[in-house]
Amino acid sequence: MNEITRPQALQPKDFASDQEVRWCPGCGDYAILKGVQRALADIGTPPEQVVFVSGIGCAARFPYYLSTYGFHTIHGRAPPVATGIKLANPELDVWVVTGDGDALSIGGNHLLHVLRRNVDLQILLFNNEIYGLTKGQYSPTSRTGTRSPSTPTGSVDNPVNPCVFALGAAARFVARTIDTAQKLMPDVLRRAHAHKGASFVEILQNCIVYNDGVFDGVTDKAVAADAQIHVQNGKPLRFGKKLEKGLRLKPGTLTLEVVQVGEGGVAEGGILAHDETNRVLASLLATMQPPDFPEAIGVIYCSPADSYETLMVQQVEAAKAQRPNAKLSALLRGGHVWEVQ
Amino acid sequence: MVVRFAGDSGDGVQVTGGQFTSATALAGNDFATFPDFPAEIRAPAGTTFGVSAFQINFGSTAIDTAGDQPDALVALNPAALRVNIQDLPTGGLLIIDTGEFNERNLRKAGYQANPLEDGALQQYRVVPIDISRLTLEAVKAFGLSQKDGLRCKNFWTLGLVSWIYDRDRAPTVAWLKSRFAKRPELAEGNIAALNAGHAFGETMEADDFTGYTVPKAEIAPGLYRSVTGAEALSWGLVAGAQLAGLKVVFSSYPITPASSLLHILAGLKHFDVTTLQAEDEIAACCAAIGASYAGALGITSSSGPGVALKTEALGLAISTELPLVLVNSQRAGPSTGMPTKTEQSDLYQAIYGRNADSPLAVVAARSPADCFDVAIEAVRLATRYMTPVILLSDGYIGNSAEPWLIPDFDKLPPMPVAFHTERAGFHPFLRNPVTRARVWAKPGTPGLEHRIGGIEKDYDSGNISYDAANHQRMTDARAEKIQRIADDIPPQTVSNGAPSGDLAIVGWGSTYGPINRAVHNLRHAGLNVSHIHIRHLWPLPRNLGPLLQGYRRVLVPEMNKGQLRTVLRAEYLVAAEGLNKVTGQPFKIREIEAAARKMLGA
């Protein structure tokens, strides 16, 4: 085989494939692709050890645009395919790319189970609150009242909050980032990769054709400082242009409230510090939404435990150690046997 | 000699049957068994739908089926009698536990009057015994509760039947001691019941009730064991993977009657078997596909309704041309149907049941022991042709047992998989010129990074392609690849009889036993009948068409409404006729004989 020579450090372009990218011009997916390629270069796993698995939808085209191994599967089923890949070869670095319809509608059951099993995967959910590839129907994350070809007079059902769902499914790593957040996203993805187990990352993604501006209330430059809170483990939960606002537990309740920090408000010591290992706090943070609260961005929850495939491999290895040199011929001859002369 | 044990599902009938089977194997008889149990885990005691039965056919000549009808029936309560009595021929031996024939149980079974008293059982050799009372007496010394004591009833019965057919009790005693190692009083109680039943047989005075000795069968020499279809299938899959040099990832979702594969394989971790109980049938199939993509042997398993759910994922495996073995333990349907009853009605589903032109390979096991060979064959085809293979078994094959001449695994030909590693000229849909299979390039291989998926691929690069002519070319290539399997399988043989003649009886799957025995009997009677049994159902063996042309008539007995018959008619324009039944029970030999005689006017 050919000698493998590789530059000292991988660059984002090393993770670009030769395929023409075919998302709509201006789609948030371009920015995510850039952020992921940056993160992959920073992480530095050789491309042959990396697998991207996707389901169906606009987001699911993602693997074609990376130079790694890629498997574009069927609608909603990327998590079990990825689980099978990890069981066959736990050494591989496996990423799942999915969308809000793929992960939370047709694939909701699989997302639940891949998270609770804690399979060592990075699961990137591109949430644009709409079905793009099928031309604009409302999705399970669409806000109530969304008008779409299938809901011309407005949707009536309640949306699901992806991060809250993930926490409910016992995910041990839950984060949220934004397509355009090119500085933050690679950091979040590196953290997701470093976490051994199922890492769930919701990425707010703008669909320029069918749901343009749906996240303006969070991402628009004019409002971002007040509508986002960048959570960091151990740091006070503060936000606003001058970090003049903070979160604390509303006295006597188990709910959060936004307070002014400092003069005329609450002393800095009265502001909650982020503890990413605290599931209750994570749930409160994940639930927050503008206009009453800022949207939590960053690593909301991280509390590692043994991953599924690690434990499965341990069981297999223990069984092999217990019965070294197990021979199939001996198994076939086990139990009651008799000789016919 | 055919013996059927029947009782309430809580009576331990299956355990009794299993122990009697072990003893029969040790006595050197050939045998076949048929466990028949209710779908309900704990159906109300004493009801007809809670009746569980176990039939064993054993003898000194070759045994192909569990027997058309019992020579002896053991009925442990009125419901068991009511459900099973119509199968007992006149003059048959009928052992009845009279202790259970009280007014309440009779009413539950739907009897207006006690059949022991109203002459309804006159034509049988009835042996009425108060087994319940005798069992309680036998176990009195061990301080068991009334409930635990009555639970020993099945072993009392086994003791009696062991005496009648001269079976050794020692293996059962050993089994009880290990089964109840932690509760020695239960072991002792059951052993005492077993011995008491045996002693009862020895000492009872009954005119036409004497012990039988069944001489050893004339069977091929070698080392034998008793094996169920589920065991042979599980071991065959592991054997196939070892011969291919692959790790097994078996991914399944619980469903009757397929779950036993998952249970058995979960206990074979020391053979590098990883099992996943997935969240649903779809996930089970997808995880197996993911495992194959990553270079393991992905296997999934289910029964008809579950296979329906896996169908979309099967299409993905066909499109991405990945190896996959899907075992379908068929059951009576449609929908939930009758989960514990056998049927072979998923042949259309296996061959045709997918959207688009989606060919794959289909093989079927004909008996419990045959499962081992067929499983290896399924692995061979899946890995050699980079295709999903559906292996059809059924509830009858999976649950029943037969003696198995244990193969010498170390002498089976290896069939190693060669993963692609060559970078020069690589693309993921490079094809083998002979098999037309694409290369298997697994993640982790430097320089072969590539992307595949369910979208149509360009024939020459593997990249996404929406080109119309290319789709035609790829569709043709997928069909051609599966058809080439026909060049790589043994030609169709005739199981019994001449390669031409008046009538070919053509079967597949678990009808092997009754067809073979029926053809044996018909030929013995001088009729020019042959038995053809098809293992490779898709693609069909190349010589099957010409072979069938050599017979005046063709009869296809199936436990469905005529699925293989339709396939044969479609493929060969042969005027195949059907003998079809879907009663949840295997064919009886005489049913096939009668149909054949009618066709031949004999």
Side-chain angles (χ1 to χ4, degrees):
Chain A
M1 204 162 53
N2 299 342
E3 193 65 30
I4 303 155
T5 51
R6 202 165 270 135
Q8 282 296 314
L10 289 158
Q11 299 300 316
K13 65 176 168 42
D14 294 327
F15 288 92
S17 77
D18 59 353
Q19 298 294 296
E20 182 195 345
V21 183
R22 289 192 192 179
W23 287 308
C24 308
C27 175
D29 288 355
Y30 285 94
I32 301 175
L33 179 61
K34 205 171 147 211
V36 169
Q37 287 169 343
R38 171 82 258 165
L40 290 174
D42 292 350
I43 290 164
T45 307
E48 73 267 16
Q49 291 293 335
V50 180
V51 185
F52 272 76
V53 186
S54 63
I56 294 291
C58 294
R61 293 298 188 92
F62 208 84
Y64 291 112
Y65 308 136
L66 292 169
S67 64
T68 64
Y69 281 91
F71 199 175
H72 180 205
T73 71
I74 46 179
H75 206 6
R77 320 301 175 196
V81 173
T83 301
I85 292 172
K86 282 299 271 190
L87 286 176
N89 184 357
E91 302 305 314
L92 295 170
D93 219 343
V94 184
W95 300 66
V96 169
V97 174
T98 182
D100 39 311
D102 193 56
L104 291 164
S105 197
I106 196 166
N109 190 35
H110 307 306
L111 184 61
L112 159 66
H113 292 281
V114 79
L115 292 174
R116 75 163 177 87
R117 279 195 189 107
N118 200 30
V119 184
D120 184 22
L121 306 167
Q122 292 71 245
I123 301 164
L124 315 184
L125 189 155
F126 301 4
N127 182 11
N128 58 14
E129 299 192 4
I130 207 77
Y131 280 81
L133 201 61
T134 52
K135 303 199 184 337
Q137 299 84 356
Y138 85 120
S139 92
T141 56
S142 297
R143 290 159 216 188
T144 307
T146 298
R147 290 176 189 271
S148 79
S150 57
T151 52
T153 49
S155 63
V156 296
D157 35 343
N158 289 316
V160 57
N161 175 325
C163 288
V164 173
F165 176 91
L167 286 165
R172 307 202 72 100
F173 181 99
V174 176
R176 187 186 282 136
T177 184
I178 301 167
D179 52 7
T180 50
Q182 286 301 308
K183 200 168 141 12
L184 176 71
M185 191 197 308
D187 288 344
V188 168
L189 297 181
R190 274 196 304 275
R191 284 283 319 270
H193 177 266
H195 171 256
K196 183 100 176 134
S199 305
F200 178 82
V201 182
E202 178 192 5
I203 305 175
L204 306 184
Q205 177 243 324
N206 189 48
C207 173
I208 197 165
V209 174
Y210 295 108
N211 215 10
D212 193 24
V214 71
F215 295 116
D216 281 357
V218 178
T219 59
D220 200 89
K221 275 200 179 106
V223 300
D226 292 319
Q228 296 176 19
I229 180 166
H230 289 248
V231 300
Q232 284 180 289
N233 194 33
K235 303 264 176 70
L237 290 161
R238 292 175 64 171
F239 64 107
K241 276 195 186 69
K242 296 173 182 163
L243 298 180
E244 73 281 12
K245 289 188 262 190
L247 295 173
R248 69 165 187 179
L249 277 180
K250 195 172 180 178
T253 73
L254 200 59
T255 53
L256 295 173
E257 66 174 353
V258 175
V259 293
Q260 292 293 318
V261 185
E263 261 177 72
V266 176
E268 194 174 333
I271 301 301
L272 267 178
H274 183 38
D275 173 5
E276 66 182 20
T277 66
N278 185 327
R279 182 178 287 275
V280 176
L281 178 60
S283 296
L284 293 172
L285 293 174
T287 312
M288 295 191 308
Q289 273 178 341
D292 298 336
F293 287 94
E295 185 112 358
I297 305 293
V299 178
I300 296 170
Y301 183 63
C302 178
S303 174
D306 286 337
S307 71
Y308 178 76
E309 77 289 344
T310 305
L311 296 170
M312 291 293 277
V313 168
Q314 275 173 15
Q315 285 197 356
V316 170
E317 292 307 317
K320 288 203 273 193
Q322 210 169 33
R323 284 188 260 188
N325 308 317
K327 290 267 182 287
L328 195 63
S329 48
L331 172 72
L332 304 185
R333 291 191 169 92
H336 282 307
V337 297
W338 66 95
E339 186 80 36
V340 173
Q341 302 295 337
Chain B
M1 192 62 62
V2 181
V3 179
R4 184 184 299 178
F5 300 91
D8 200 68
S9 49
D11 280 344
V13 167
Q14 302 302 329
V15 174
T16 313
Q19 289 303 308
F20 189 77
T21 304
S22 297
T24 295
L26 289 177
N29 297 138
D30 197 8
F31 63 88
T33 69
F34 178 48
D36 186 14
F37 42 85
E40 291 79 7
I41 302 297
R42 289 277 179 271
T47 58
T48 51
F49 50 90
V51 172
S52 177
F54 185 99
Q55 182 160 307
I56 176 167
N57 183 6
F58 58 100
S60 50
T61 56
I63 300 290
D64 288 326
T65 75
D68 279 10
Q69 53 190 19
D71 299 298
L73 171 65
V74 180
L76 291 176
N77 70 2
L81 179 69
R82 190 173 175 90
V83 171
N84 291 284
I85 190 64
Q86 72 270 18
D87 292 335
L88 191 68
T90 300
L93 181 65
L94 177 60
I95 299 170
I96 284 179
D97 178 10
T98 57
E100 292 288 327
F101 278 63
N102 53 40
E103 200 182 321
R104 188 157 163 271
N105 284 347
L106 286 164
R107 202 176 54 241
K108 271 200 218 167
Y111 279 116
Q112 306 295 326
N114 188 343
L116 288 169
E117 290 162 4
D118 68 359
L121 304 174
Q122 251 174 353
Q123 71 267 43
Y124 310 110
R125 288 180 293 146
V126 182
V127 183
I129 309 170
D130 191 346
I131 298 176
S132 300
R133 183 178 61 80
L134 290 169
T135 302
L136 285 176
E137 276 177 17
V139 305
K140 206 156 53 182
F142 302 98
L144 301 184
S145 65
Q146 168 102 358
K147 197 173 144 206
D148 281 344
L150 276 176
R151 283 206 175 144
C152 301
K153 207 167 86 164
N154 55 333
F155 282 96
W156 193 100
T157 314
L158 182 61
L160 174 63
V161 177
S162 297
W163 174 78
I164 298 173
Y165 297 105
D166 194 20
R167 305 285 98 139
D168 188 4
R169 279 163 292 155
T172 302
V173 170
W175 181 85
L176 280 167
K177 282 187 173 156
S178 88
R179 171 78 178 77
F180 295 115
K182 286 190 181 144
R183 292 195 62 190
E185 76 281 9
L186 286 184
E188 293 303 322
N190 278 304
I191 292 166
L194 178 76
N195 290 336
H198 194 267
F200 182 89
E202 272 182 339
T203 53
M204 83 180 247
E205 291 175 18
D207 288 346
D208 58 353
F209 184 59
T210 49
Y212 294 82
T213 300
V214 179
K216 292 188 177 195
E218 291 279 335
I219 30 188
L223 190 67
Y224 282 78
R225 68 170 296 153
S226 167
V227 74
T228 66
E231 287 168 340
L233 191 40
S234 305
W235 301 339
L237 292 170
V238 176
Q242 288 204 353
L243 294 169
L246 298 173
K247 161 180 167 174
V248 171
V249 175
F250 180 90
S251 169
S252 181
Y253 183 77
I255 182 169
T256 303
S259 306
S260 41
L261 280 185
L262 175 59
H263 304 165
I264 294 167
L265 287 162
L268 296 180
K269 292 187 172 63
H270 51 297
F271 290 108
D272 215 7
V273 174
T274 299
T275 53
L276 165 67
Q277 182 182 317
E279 60 269 27
D280 61 29
E281 298 284 1
I282 298 168
C285 192
C286 286
I289 292 170
S292 286
Y293 170 74
L297 175 65
I299 307 175
T300 187
S301 156
S302 191
S303 191
V307 173
L309 285 166
K310 296 179 197 290
T311 303
E312 188 198 7
L314 272 182
L316 177 68
I318 291 167
S319 177
T320 53
E321 303 191 42
L322 284 168
L324 173 75
V325 176
L326 190 173
V327 180
N328 180 353
S329 299
Q330 300 164 95
R331 68 189 211 188
S335 189
T336 305
M338 300 193 290
T340 61
K341 304 298 175 189
T342 196
E343 206 162 277
Q344 46 181 185
S345 46
D346 296 345
L347 183 64
Y348 287 161
Q349 182 192 40
I351 299 178
Y352 305 121
R354 287 164 295 285
N355 60 302
D357 284 301
S358 317
L360 48 66
V362 182
V363 291
R366 71 185 195 194
S367 73
D370 190 46
C371 285
F372 185 79
D373 299 340
V374 173
I376 293 175
E377 176 67 352
V379 175
R380 183 184 77 91
L381 295 179
T383 53
R384 188 165 155 78
Y385 290 87
M386 296 292 282
T387 178
V389 177
I390 294 183
L391 193 169
L392 294 171
S393 177
D394 61 38
Y396 175 48
I397 291 178
N399 289 322
S400 43
E402 67 176 351
W404 181 36
L405 177 59
I406 304 169
D408 188 345
F409 173 71
D410 300 324
K411 288 195 180 141
L412 295 178
M415 41 189 201
V417 163
F419 289 105
H420 194 81
T421 54
E422 178 55 51
R423 292 172 181 221
F426 170 76
H427 74 79
F429 283 81
L430 284 175
R431 292 184 186 278
N432 179 301
V434 177
T435 62
R436 310 300 292 146
R438 79 168 182 101
V439 292
W440 195 356
K442 61 178 175 179
T445 313
L448 302 192
E449 296 86 355
H450 64 275
R451 277 63 58 189
I452 57 170
I455 298 185
E456 187 62 281
K457 274 76 48 181
D458 181 72
Y459 187 92
D460 294 313
S461 70
N463 289 330
I464 291 180
S465 168
Y466 293 111
D467 181 76
N470 177 72
H471 178 56
Q472 177 77 53
R473 195 174 180 200
M474 286 296 276
T475 303
D476 293 345
R478 287 186 287 263
E480 166 71 10
K481 178 180 79 169
I482 297 303
Q483 281 308 318
R484 288 208 180 185
I485 292 175
D487 297 328
D488 192 19
I489 58 176
Q492 182 62 50
T493 55
V494 179
S495 299
N496 190 358
S500 62
D502 291 337
L503 175 66
I505 306 188
V506 183
W508 66 280
S510 68
T511 51
Y512 179 84
I515 295 177
N516 203 47
R517 193 62 14 200
V519 168
H520 179 87
N521 294 347
L522 292 163
R523 291 186 66 78
H524 209 66
L527 298 170
N528 191 359
V529 181
S530 298
H531 176 197
I532 293 169
H533 215 75
I534 305 174
R535 170 183 283 182
H536 292 92
L537 287 156
W538 201 265
L540 291 160
R542 291 256 190 255
N543 67 326
L544 182 60
L547 180 64
L548 294 179
Q549 301 298 337
Y551 299 92
R552 212 160 52 79
R553 312 274 297 266
V554 173
L555 173 66
V556 187
E558 289 178 276
M559 293 186 285
N560 61 43
K561 291 292 284 174
Q563 301 190 6
L564 177 64
R565 179 185 36 159
T566 305
V567 172
L568 295 179
R569 287 179 176 189
E571 291 297 310
Y572 306 122
L573 294 175
V574 61
E577 296 166 68
L579 170 63
N580 303 94
K581 100 169 189 180
V582 284
T583 60
Q585 300 288 323
F587 272 105
K588 295 186 190 314
I589 297 162
R590 62 168 185 271
E591 291 169 342
I592 295 169
E593 277 185 55
R597 283 179 182 279
K598 197 172 157 203
M599 279 178 81
L600 294 172

